[in-house]
Amino acid sequence: MSSIDSSQAPVPVHDWAVDDLPALDFDPFMARLLLHEPITRIRLPHGEGHAWLVTRYEDVKLVTSDARFSRRALIGRSVTRLSPHTIPQDEAVGFTDPPRHAQLRKAVARAFSARSMERLRPLVERTAHELLDGMERHGSPADLLEHFNAPLPLTVISEVMGVPSSDRPLMAHWTGMLLTAAHTREESEAAKAEIRAYFVALLRHRRAEPREDLAGDLATAVASAELSEAEAVALAVLIQISATHAVRNNSANMVYALLTEPGLADRLRAEPAVLPQAVEELLRWIPHRRGVGIARIATQDVEVGGTLIAKDEVVYASYLTANRDPSVFERPDDLDVDRSRVPHLSFGHGPHFCLASMLARLESEVMLTGLLARFPHLRLAVPAKEIAWQPAALIRGPETLPVAW
């Protein structure tokens, strides 16, 4: 018999519109829930019904690592959600549970290992150097997103995947269509179908003409029946768009933070050894996404932080609020690069921990190091309040980032 008290008082449902916020402001609704209603119910703009929202650090870790909360159970259900469309395909790794989840990740894990990151470092550094050369030739002022923060992650993941340079504008277009709630469901589904068709063709081409790239690895996994073609294509799509868009936006967020936090850029130029630690703190402090990500379904009654989440109920876990939990981080709303320990959850937790986290860290460190060294007088070219931010973006970031030097 369950020891959970099923007579708990009803929890109110909050309608959450998830409005756009200025710059890198933390969502006041989420901040209030963390402190006063850490486990509550929400209703998002799209889908059906309502869901639990878990905000505290330890509760988030539980929900995202406990096998009783399933991503696979989402398939076929119209749950309350932020965007009008469901971004991952049904076959995507994001909709799998262990043990199949581990089998899918294994097919691409080699491309994102520590050894692979060391092999990739020269490519990342060379790409950064060439892009900074181009920006310097363009002259001050320049849009950092156009010249640096957007093309670098797109170039790197396309090289890893095996997407030719001629097709990279298409990748940028599809990514922009999918990772926003601003387009209609029909427009977003059309973009999803187009990028899926592209990778179906690419993987079939790799089976006919093998090459040593990630598309080749996925094609080999299909040929050996390790993955179905649908699973391999879904993995390719997820990796391509996530590694492009998340780093594009969050690295730009990092630069914005450096240029608006007094003295921080100068500190990192004077003490470059602090930069890796600063990247970790920036990853913790920046509210990198809008709202919440993919939900889970409770497959049985589970107690979380003293609250009963019943079988078949929908649950969201907020990594953003976990990163601001005062029980884990002293002065959590301060950006403090001198924190000695930053156990943030910005790359997730549990089985769905971001596979490309080391690549994102590598790219962020190389980009910030190169930018600060190349332009010792780098500054925003317009007042901070005039920076335009992407509307309805699932991963928050500026539309443009004009800088001068």
Side-chain angles (χ1 to χ4, degrees):
M1 179 178 293
S2 172
S3 62
I4 299 172
D5 180 9
S6 60
S7 64
Q8 62 188 17
V11 178
V13 178
H14 297 281
D15 286 305
W16 186 16
V18 198
D19 296 323
D20 288 327
L21 296 164
L24 298 179
D25 287 4
F26 197 82
D27 191 326
F29 173 75
M30 299 179 81
R32 181 177 66 80
L33 292 185
L34 171 64
L35 296 180
H36 303 294
E37 297 181 66
I39 302 177
T40 193
R41 295 181 193 264
I42 57 168
R43 183 182 294 111
L44 292 163
H46 300 279
E48 300 174 6
H50 51 73
W52 289 99
L53 175 62
V54 173
T55 58
R56 288 180 299 209
Y57 188 92
E58 291 300 331
D59 294 339
V60 168
K61 288 178 67 176
L62 171 64
V63 168
T64 54
S65 60
D66 193 308
R68 293 173 293 178
F69 294 101
S70 168
R71 284 274 186 83
R72 191 69 186 165
L74 285 166
I75 294 176
R77 288 187 59 168
S78 177
V79 304
T80 187
R81 62 181 186 273
L82 175 59
S83 64
H85 62 289
T86 303
I87 295 168
Q89 301 166 46
D90 286 353
E91 302 84 3
V93 66
F95 282 150
T96 58
D97 297 328
R100 184 57 180 161
H101 178 268
Q103 295 169 340
L104 265 62
R105 286 174 65 104
K106 181 181 178 182
V108 295
R110 183 168 60 94
F112 299 102
S113 67
R115 181 174 297 179
S116 294
M117 291 307 101
E118 285 308 307
R119 289 198 297 266
L120 272 178
R121 181 177 286 275
L123 168 65
V124 178
E125 292 176 341
R126 183 174 66 252
T127 302
H129 182 78
E130 291 170 352
L131 290 170
L132 291 172
D133 283 349
M135 193 169 88
E136 199 165 18
R137 287 193 299 271
H138 175 277
S140 175
D143 177 12
L144 204 57
L145 275 164
E146 176 186 351
H147 291 276
F148 192 51
N149 291 76
L152 188 143
L154 175 61
T155 298
V156 171
I157 196 58
S158 296
E159 289 287 336
V160 171
M161 184 66 69
V163 172
S165 57
S166 59
D167 292 339
R168 291 171 193 174
L170 270 175
M171 293 297 154
H173 167 72
W174 286 325
T175 297
M177 290 290 294
L178 289 172
L179 291 182
T180 179
H183 299 295
T184 66
R185 181 185 181 91
E186 291 73 21
E187 289 171 329
S188 300
E189 291 297 335
K192 187 193 295 189
E194 289 167 4
I195 193 171
R196 183 186 185 284
Y198 178 92
F199 279 107
V200 166
L202 180 61
L203 266 59
R204 289 177 181 176
H205 181 69
R206 285 292 182 275
R207 289 185 68 177
E209 298 181 22
R211 275 180 52 182
E212 292 189 5
D213 52 31
L214 189 50
D217 291 346
L218 288 168
T220 298
V222 172
S224 65
E226 184 180 350
L227 302 179
S228 69
E229 182 178 71
E231 289 172 331
V233 168
L235 264 172
V237 170
L238 178 66
I239 291 168
Q240 180 72 35
I241 66 174
S242 298
T244 298
H245 199 71
V247 177
R248 171 197 189 276
N249 282 12
N250 216 29
S251 65
N253 292 337
M254 289 181 181
V255 176
Y256 178 87
L258 293 186
L259 298 183
T260 54
E261 188 76 11
L264 184 52
D266 289 337
R267 164 82 187 280
L268 296 181
R269 285 192 189 93
E271 301 178 58
V274 176
L275 194 133
Q277 183 173 308
V279 166
E280 294 304 310
E281 172 66 354
L282 287 163
L283 286 166
R284 180 199 72 84
W285 182 81
I286 290 170
H288 62 280
R289 71 163 300 117
R290 179 170 166 263
V292 287
I294 302 176
R296 291 168 171 80
I297 304 293
T299 59
Q300 56 183 278
D301 290 358
V302 186
E303 182 181 6
V304 179
T307 297
L308 170 66
I309 296 177
K311 181 180 179 181
D312 292 329
E313 288 192 309
V314 183
V315 188
Y316 282 99
S318 171
Y319 295 124
L320 298 189
T321 53
N323 284 343
R324 298 289 183 110
D325 190 333
S327 70
V328 179
F329 303 100
E330 185 179 357
R331 296 173 290 102
D333 295 328
D334 291 353
L335 177 58
D336 180 6
V337 300
D338 290 314
R339 292 184 195 273
S340 57
R341 179 173 174 269
V342 192
H344 63 77
L345 302 182
S346 297
F347 293 116
H349 181 71
H352 291 276
F353 183 83
C354 177
L355 188 65
S357 61
M358 286 193 289
L359 177 58
R361 285 184 167 100
L362 169 62
E363 290 176 323
S364 298
E365 290 181 19
V366 168
M367 293 168 79
L368 293 184
T369 298
L371 194 62
L372 292 173
R374 181 71 68 99
F375 301 111
H377 303 294
L378 190 72
R379 62 190 184 278
L380 292 179
V382 299
K385 64 182 180 181
E386 294 182 14
I387 300 291
W389 294 76
Q390 297 171 42
L394 302 185
I395 305 296
R396 292 173 62 177
E399 282 192 327
T400 62
L401 193 58
V403 295
W405 56 88

